[in-house]
Amino acid sequence: MQRETEQRLAAEALDRIERRAVPQADSTMVIDGARYTAAAALAAENAALFRRHPLVVALGCELPEPGSYLTFDIAGVPVLLVRDDEGAVRGLLNTCRHRGARLLSGGGKVGKAFACPYHGWAYDRCGVLRALPGSEHFPEVDVDDTRLMQFPTEEHEGLVWMLLDPSASRVPDPGLGALGPELGSYRLSGHTHRGSHAWTKRMNWKLGVDTFLELHHVAVLHRKTIAKTVLKSAFLYEPFGRHARLVAPRRSIEEQRGNDPTDWRLVPHATVIYRLFPNAILISQGPHMELYRFFPYAEQPGTTECRMTLSSPADEGCGRDWDEALQLALGVLDREDFAMMESVQSNLAAGLQREVMFGRNEIGLQNFHRVRDAALAE
Ligand code: FES
Ligand SMILES: [Fe+2]
């Protein structure tokens, strides 16, 4: 985070802690819970958000070298990310040109060419067909002119952005505004990948995002785990276009009160949460970063693939047990937060209680859902 921003936010955090004042919305907001459960809501989001808005799909360091690849599905669309021989990240449709087989699964590294597991058509790291076994039976297929469908994909400041529209030629500006340079200040392009986890939850993708947007559940839901370290009396919230930043200071921030304000730090004393519209959460936890992505299943508003990636600067983290760090980060989130979200999902799916309320202190949820509604209305 830039020094000036850090100082300003540290001062605001200390002031809010003193006054026990959390940011407030103008009123309570009531929404229809069907947005979490209705197939029509997911279909609308699929068209207006997932296929039209740039998505943060990975950290660049998840694909450290030419041939590194990752696969995942976004609302049923099978995506293959691969770093090509020039070092650029390619977003390809993970579907063979022959008869539609899925080409790769999971993640790892491919050689200069990779073969379809069905009949062996082979593609290079740019998705161009390089070998067609039994090509005499396909005389009409021009091998050099056959390639996997591709999505505009760009790596910027260590984040991989993709537009899930194969007819588009480039990734549109995601409209980060002042958040762009702030994210750049973390120098994610110099990070090393420390671990990843992908898992499926029975919850709507927005419930995954909602989890990170308020803190007053911490004292209740997490009373036996992390409640002691989090200051629920103070958080900061700032929208940036469709995106937002939430700062959750830790108790240690108060140790600086006696220091010269120009020396105040925020990053070592806070969890800084960036909500990157529509479905990504990027978190600064001191030196390491966590990226979460919530990908809905096709036509299943109540099922989401969650992907989490941990990274830290290449020169830090020596001797740290990153597997343990990953388990620690996921433990509370999965066992407490997402378990709660699964029960919310099934309760709302019962369809009797339709309304969901966001209080004035749930300004982060209000903002996210308003931005989502506005994007759908466009
Ligand atoms: S479907 Fe891929 S080679 Fe046949
Ligand atoms: Fe939580």
Side-chain angles (χ1 to χ4, degrees):
M1 185 181 284
Q2 306 102 310
R3 197 63 204 102
E4 200 182 307
T5 310
E6 188 174 11
Q7 245 173 49
R8 177 172 61 79
L9 295 179
E12 192 186 333
L14 286 167
D15 175 57
R16 284 194 177 278
I17 292 166
E18 204 163 28
R19 294 189 292 116
R20 301 183 69 80
V22 297
Q24 294 265 315
D26 295 336
S27 61
T28 298
M29 177 179 172
V30 179
I31 57 162
D32 183 347
R35 71 179 52 211
Y36 296 112
T37 59
L42 179 59
E45 290 167 345
N46 198 6
L49 311 186
F50 289 98
R51 307 236 176 168
R52 210 185 295 157
H53 203 280
L55 307 172
V56 174
V57 288
L59 293 179
C61 62
E62 289 181 78
L63 303 156
E65 55 191 343
S68 299
Y69 78 91
L70 270 180
T71 62
F72 46 86
D73 289 19
I74 307 176
V77 178
V79 174
L80 163 61
L81 284 186
V82 59
R83 196 175 287 282
D84 71 19
D85 296 335
E86 259 74 66
V89 178
R90 300 267 179 170
L92 305 169
L93 187 69
N94 192 8
T95 302
C96 182
R97 276 294 182 177
H98 175 213
R99 278 167 54 196
R102 180 174 286 247
L103 293 161
L104 293 167
S105 303
K109 189 168 176 199
V110 285
K112 291 272 185 193
F114 53 94
C116 174
Y118 200 178
H119 312 91
W121 287 29
Y123 301 87
D124 69 17
R125 292 162 172 174
C126 295
V128 177
L129 185 63
R130 289 297 174 200
L132 195 168
S135 57
E136 66 275 20
H137 304 297
F138 295 85
E140 292 79 9
V141 174
D142 179 350
V143 172
D144 293 332
D145 206 29
T146 302
R147 55 168 310 135
L148 301 176
M149 291 182 81
Q150 58 179 342
F151 306 107
T153 306
E154 272 172 33
E155 190 173 6
H156 187 67
E157 304 280 17
L159 292 174
V160 180
W161 294 85
M162 198 178 84
L163 183 68
L164 198 65
D165 177 359
S167 69
S169 56
R170 47 176 288 279
V171 181
D173 180 353
L176 290 167
L179 213 49
E182 184 169 326
L183 294 179
S185 72
Y186 290 98
R187 302 184 195 288
L188 285 170
S189 49
H191 272 214
T192 295
H193 177 220
R194 304 296 186 184
S196 292
H197 186 61
W199 72 117
T200 297
K201 296 306 280 187
R202 297 272 168 212
M203 64 183 189
N204 183 261
W205 68 274
K206 295 186 293 301
L207 288 172
V209 177
D210 289 351
T211 302
F212 295 92
L213 300 180
E214 54 87 2
L215 296 173
H216 72 113
H217 74 278
V218 175
V220 184
L221 182 63
H222 303 312
R223 65 190 176 283
K224 292 187 179 147
T225 50
I226 56 168
K228 281 195 184 68
T229 60
V230 179
L231 275 165
K232 76 169 177 3
S233 59
F235 70 91
L236 313 180
Y237 189 79
E238 197 173 336
F240 294 84
R242 289 181 169 175
H243 317 281
R245 180 214 310 112
L246 186 146
V247 176
R250 287 190 281 274
R251 292 188 193 284
S252 63
I253 196 170
E254 300 219 69
E255 294 160 10
Q256 308 179 96
R257 274 197 197 277
N259 301 354
D260 184 333
T262 56
D263 292 334
W264 284 349
R265 298 290 316 275
L266 180 80
V267 173
H269 304 291
T271 301
V272 185
I273 300 171
Y274 297 96
R275 177 178 62 67
L276 301 175
F277 192 77
N279 65 329
I281 297 281
L282 179 69
I283 302 182
S284 152
Q285 294 273 25
H288 83 253
M289 301 291 283
E290 296 166 12
L291 175 67
Y292 295 87
R293 290 131 289 178
F294 300 100
F295 295 128
Y297 272 45
E299 295 166 23
Q300 292 182 52
T303 311
T304 296
E305 187 188 51
C306 313
R307 298 185 67 85
M308 188 269 205
T309 299
L310 197 65
S311 77
S312 77
D315 52 358
E316 283 186 22
C318 306
R320 180 147 186 212
D321 185 340
W322 287 104
D323 206 39
E324 192 183 293
L326 189 75
Q327 294 314 322
L328 213 68
L330 289 175
V332 170
L333 186 71
D334 193 51
R335 279 196 298 275
E336 297 183 354
D337 292 290
F338 290 173
M340 179 58 72
M341 291 307 177
E342 287 193 323
S343 88
V344 167
Q345 182 73 34
S346 77
N347 291 346
L348 293 177
L352 293 176
Q353 182 186 305
R354 297 292 297 259
E355 291 181 346
V356 172
M357 280 184 271
F358 299 141
R360 293 181 182 212
N361 59 345
E362 292 174 326
I363 189 169
L365 289 112
Q366 293 201 12
N367 173 242
F368 170 47
H369 285 264
R370 285 212 169 88
V371 167
R372 174 259 186 202
D373 292 350
L376 285 191
E378 249 180 32

